Amino acid sequence: MSGFHFFISLLLFFAVKGTTIAQSNYSTAQHIQTQVDSGTALNHISKSEQLRNKKIVSLSIILAIIIFLLLYFLYQNNRLKQKIKRKDTKQKILLDIINSGIDSQEAEHKKIASFLHDNINSLLSSAGLHLNTFTAQHNVKSDEIQKAKAILSEAHELLRDMSHDLVPSLLVRFGLIYSLEDLCEKNSNSAIEFEFSSFIPNSRRYSEKFEIKIYFIVSELFSNIIKHSNAKKAKLSLTEKEDQLVLRIYDDGIGFKSQKLKDAEGFGLNRIRARIKKYKGSLSIVSKENQGTKIKIQIPLPH
C-alpha cells in the first residue's frame, strides 16, 4: 500500500509540476507574443509616420512651386504693366510733340496768311491801281505796261491762293460748314467727284482753333483719297450727335486689307490721329480690298 501511495503521490507531483511548467510556458509564450505584437505595432506606427512625413515634404514642395509660380507671374505682370506704362508715356510724348508741331505750324500758317493777305496783296493791289490810273490819265498803250499788269494780276492770284491754302479766308469769314463744302467743290474734277452733305446749319460756328483743326483733318484725308484710292466718287457728311461732331468720309476706291492699314499708318495718319486725340475724339477706318474705305471721326464739341 505504501508503495501504491508513493506511486500516486509521485504521479500527482509530476502532474502538478507539468501544469506549472505548462502555465509557465504559456505565460512565456504570451509574453513573447505580446512583445512581437508590440514590435509589429511600433513598426506599423513608424511606417505611418514616415508616410506622413513624405506627404508633408511633397505638399511643401508643391506649395513652394505654386508660390514661386505666383511670384513669377506677378513679376511678369508687373513688368508688362511697366512696359505698357512706358509705351503709353512714349506715345503721349510723341503725340504732344506732334500736336505741338501742328499748333506751331498752324499758328505760323495763320501769321503768314495774314501777312500775305493784309500786306503783300494790298501792296500788289495798290501798285496795279496806280499803274491803271497812270495809263488812263496819260492814255499810254504799251505792251510792256500790259505785261506788267498781267504779271501783277498773276502774282496777286498766286498769293491769294497761297494765303487760302495756309488758312482759307472762307473758313475764317464764314465758318467750317461753308469751307468744307467749298473744299469738296475744289477737289472735284473729271477723275473724282466729292459729294457734300450736312445736317448742321451753314451758319453754325465753332471756335477758330477747332474749325482750323477739323478743316485740315478733312483736307489731309481728301489728299490721301486723291493720291491713293483710285476712287471715282467720295462723300463727306457732317452731323452733330450727343455733343459730338461726327464726320463720315466714304470713297469707292480700291481699299486695302486690314494688315496693309497698319503698314499705311504713316506720318500723315499719325498727324490726323494726334489732332483727333488732342480733342479726345476717336477715329475708325473700315476698308476692304476693292470695296472702298469708310472713315468715321467723332470729336466732342468745344464749349
Side-chain angles (χ1 to χ4, degrees), residues 41-54:
L42 288 173
N43 188 35
H44 181 69
I45 291 170
S46 177
K47 287 183 178 180
S48 298
E49 287 182 354
Q50 287 179 358
L51 183 61
R52 186 181 65 180
N53 289 337
K54 285 181 180 180

Side-chain angles (χ1 to χ4, degrees), residues 29-234:
Q30 276 190 328
H31 179 69
I32 293 170
Q33 183 64 37
T34 302
Q35 286 183 340
V36 170
D37 291 341
S38 176
T40 303
L42 288 173
N43 188 35
H44 181 69
I45 291 170
S46 177
K47 287 183 178 180
S48 298
E49 287 182 354
Q50 287 179 358
L51 183 61
R52 186 181 65 180
N53 289 337
K54 285 181 180 180
K55 287 182 178 179
I56 291 171
V57 171
S58 299
L59 288 173
S60 299
I61 293 171
I62 292 170
L63 184 61
I65 292 171
I66 291 171
I67 292 171
F68 173 78
L69 289 173
L70 285 173
L71 291 174
Y72 176 76
F73 286 130
L74 286 172
Y75 170 72
Q76 290 295 333
N77 186 50
N78 187 53
R79 279 190 64 187
L80 182 61
K81 285 182 178 178
Q82 292 294 328
K83 187 176 180 180
I84 293 171
K85 187 177 179 181
R86 286 195 298 270
K87 186 178 179 180
D88 290 341
T89 303
K90 287 180 181 178
Q91 187 177 14
K92 187 177 181 300
I93 292 171
L94 179 61
L95 288 173
D96 288 342
I97 291 170
I98 293 173
N99 274 313
S100 177
I102 291 170
D103 291 341
S104 300
Q105 188 180 42
E106 288 174 354
E108 193 66 26
H109 283 179
K110 186 179 178 183
K111 185 178 178 180
I112 294 170
S114 178
F115 177 77
L116 291 174
H117 182 270
D118 298 338
N119 294 281
I120 307 300
N121 271 350
S122 296
L123 289 173
L124 289 173
S125 296
S126 179
L129 180 63
H130 284 295
L131 188 58
N132 287 331
T133 302
F134 176 79
T135 55
Q137 286 177 351
H138 295 84
N139 196 22
V140 177
K141 293 181 180 180
S142 170
D143 291 339
E144 285 74 13
I145 290 177
Q146 294 301 319
K147 287 179 181 179
K149 287 181 180 181
I151 291 170
L152 284 173
S153 178
E154 185 178 354
H156 179 79
E157 293 292 331
L158 287 172
L159 285 171
R160 188 183 66 182
D161 291 342
M162 187 183 298
S163 175
H164 180 83
D165 288 339
L166 291 171
V167 177
S169 57
L170 196 66
L171 175 64
V172 177
R173 291 180 183 179
F174 300 104
L176 180 65
I177 312 303
Y178 276 112
S179 60
L180 288 179
E181 185 175 8
D182 180 66
L183 186 66
C184 286
E185 290 179 5
K186 285 188 173 180
N187 282 284
S188 295
N189 52 46
S190 58
I192 183 171
E193 178 189 357
F194 283 88
E195 183 182 332
F196 178 80
S197 66
S198 173
F199 298 92
I200 304 171
N202 290 346
S203 57
R204 182 79 158 97
R205 294 303 303 264
Y206 308 101
S207 67
E208 186 178 87
K209 286 186 177 180
F210 182 80
E211 289 188 337
I212 290 173
K213 286 278 192 302
I214 300 300
Y215 180 86
F216 281 113
I217 287 171
V218 176
S219 179
E220 199 150 358
L221 288 171
F222 278 12
S223 178
N224 288 340
I225 290 172
I226 293 168
K227 289 178 181 177
H228 307 297
S229 72
N230 292 336
K232 300 296 181 183
K233 188 174 183 179

